[in-house]
Amino acid sequence: MRIRIATDSTADIPVSLREELDIAVLPLTILAEDREYRDGYDITPQEFYPLLDAEDKLPMSAQVNPYQYTELFEESWRAGYTDLIQTTLNSKGSSTWQSAIQARDQFYEEHPEAKDSFRIHIIDSLNYSMGYGWAVIAAAQQARAGAGVEEIIAGIRDWVENVRVAAVPLNLKCVRKSGRISAAAALIGDAVGIKPVITFEDGQVKTLSKIRGKKKAVSALIGLCKQERKPGTPYVIARAADDEEAERLMQAACTELDQPPELMFYLGCIITINIGPEAIGIIYHKK
């Protein structure tokens, strides 16, 4: 049995971990400044933040297409893998999951002899960023340790079905342009310093609460994590362009929570198109 773990670039898995754990990551496409970029390959989050901040019009993104999946399935089958576990970004916000399903059906039509020897498992995360990225990392670690397919898939599903992604956009410019918050509300929020604490539930964006002032973002996120997180489970810290707030969140987590975060990662290009390049967040397993 040989298991390959795969996902897409919106999982925000750092390149070092992607390479270390041999995770296959298919890039979405970003259209900005009249150019196309392969997310996470042609442009990094740190390179994207200033570009996003300078753009009057939000960059666009395009799904992973069926051809990209077909190439991955062909390559994995010919390399001798018995199982490929593909976890995709939220099907309610992108057609990437549908592309994977379409490509899988086409692959088996063209290679009926592969049905018994090469199994393709596709999981819709209904989430973004480390809302499924951490499950993919853990799955790759399990596969390397010799875990079976059912155990790995159960672990992924447990995470994506119980995860809380909590984030605070510290500047509402991109949120306003993306339509996640009405333009009027975002303008008022910026004017009086009100910031939303946002999450994703069943694939949809939801505002959990509102805080007044950037400095309260850290305490709001740590307080939410203390209240909701399942004790002893891993959690990760999300950061973007604001170094000061990212460091404050990291210090607070290490001081106030029962264990340090597994990692601090940079929010990727796709999610920052919607919440902006100035944001912090925490991702954890709920009770």
Side-chain angles (χ1 to χ4, degrees):
M1 180 174 62
R2 290 185 65 203
I3 302 170
R4 190 171 199 185
I5 305 299
T7 190
D8 52 71
S9 60
T10 310
D12 291 347
I13 297 173
V15 173
S16 58
L17 278 174
R18 181 176 80 199
E19 294 176 347
E20 176 190 342
L21 295 171
D22 193 26
I23 300 170
V25 177
L26 297 180
L28 275 75
T29 301
I30 298 168
L31 310 172
E33 295 185 323
D34 298 319
R35 288 185 56 188
E36 287 191 2
Y37 301 91
R38 293 177 303 154
D39 179 28
Y41 288 86
D42 300 328
I43 190 167
T44 67
Q46 296 95 314
E47 293 167 338
F48 185 67
Y49 298 154
L51 183 155
L52 178 58
D53 195 46
E55 285 279 284
D56 291 327
K57 184 179 179 181
L58 281 181
M60 302 290 287
S61 63
Q63 70 196 52
V64 178
N65 62 53
Y67 176 72
Q68 290 171 275
Y69 278 116
T70 298
E71 283 195 317
L72 173 65
F73 299 160
E74 291 271 359
E75 174 200 342
S76 301
W77 176 51
R78 297 190 188 283
Y81 287 97
T82 58
D83 294 85
L84 184 143
I85 303 173
Q86 175 80 36
T87 308
T88 74
L89 79 128
N90 176 22
S91 64
K92 295 184 179 181
S94 169
S95 296
T96 293
W97 177 81
Q98 288 88 343
S99 291
I101 297 296
Q102 179 183 338
R104 181 179 64 182
D105 293 345
Q106 182 178 335
F107 173 82
Y108 285 131
E109 285 179 11
E110 296 177 356
H111 304 287
E113 72 276 20
K115 283 188 176 180
D116 295 329
S117 60
F118 178 58
R119 294 166 295 276
I120 301 169
H121 314 268
I122 300 173
I123 301 169
D124 177 6
S125 74
L126 288 176
N127 223 301
Y128 298 91
S129 190
M130 282 286 164
Y132 65 105
W134 180 255
V136 174
I137 291 169
Q141 292 169 335
Q142 285 181 292
R144 177 167 288 188
V149 172
E150 291 76 13
E151 180 182 355
I152 293 171
I153 291 176
I156 294 172
R157 292 198 181 280
D158 177 62
W159 178 266
V160 300
E161 291 171 5
N162 295 285
V163 69
R164 169 73 80 197
V165 176
V168 179
L170 303 174
N171 183 309
L172 301 182
K173 175 182 173 183
C174 287
V175 179
R176 181 174 69 249
K177 289 180 181 178
S178 71
R180 301 297 182 187
I181 296 177
S182 73
L187 280 171
I188 294 170
D190 269 338
V192 300
I194 294 175
K195 314 295 182 188
V197 180
I198 62 173
T199 191
F200 306 105
E201 290 186 358
D202 193 29
Q204 305 296 328
V205 178
K206 178 182 177 181
T207 298
L208 290 171
S209 63
K210 295 178 182 179
I211 57 173
R212 184 180 291 274
K214 173 179 173 179
K215 296 299 181 184
K216 293 185 178 179
V218 167
S219 59
L221 292 171
I222 294 296
L224 192 63
C225 187
K226 282 182 176 179
Q227 176 185 339
E228 292 189 332
R229 177 173 153 263
K230 184 177 180 180
T233 54
Y235 68 95
V236 296
I237 299 292
R239 62 155 301 167
D242 194 319
D243 295 335
E244 181 181 352
E245 291 306 300
E247 184 57 31
R248 286 185 64 237
L249 180 56
M250 173 60 86
Q251 290 180 359
C254 291
T255 302
E256 299 184 40
L257 299 178
D258 60 340
Q259 63 193 61
E262 295 295 322
L263 62 89
M264 175 185 277
F265 71 98
Y266 283 91
L267 287 165
C269 305
I270 306 301
I271 193 168
T272 52
I273 288 174
N274 293 288
I275 68 172
E278 297 175 47
I280 54 173
I282 190 165
I283 296 95
Y284 52 88
H285 189 295
K286 293 187 293 183
K287 295 176 184 175

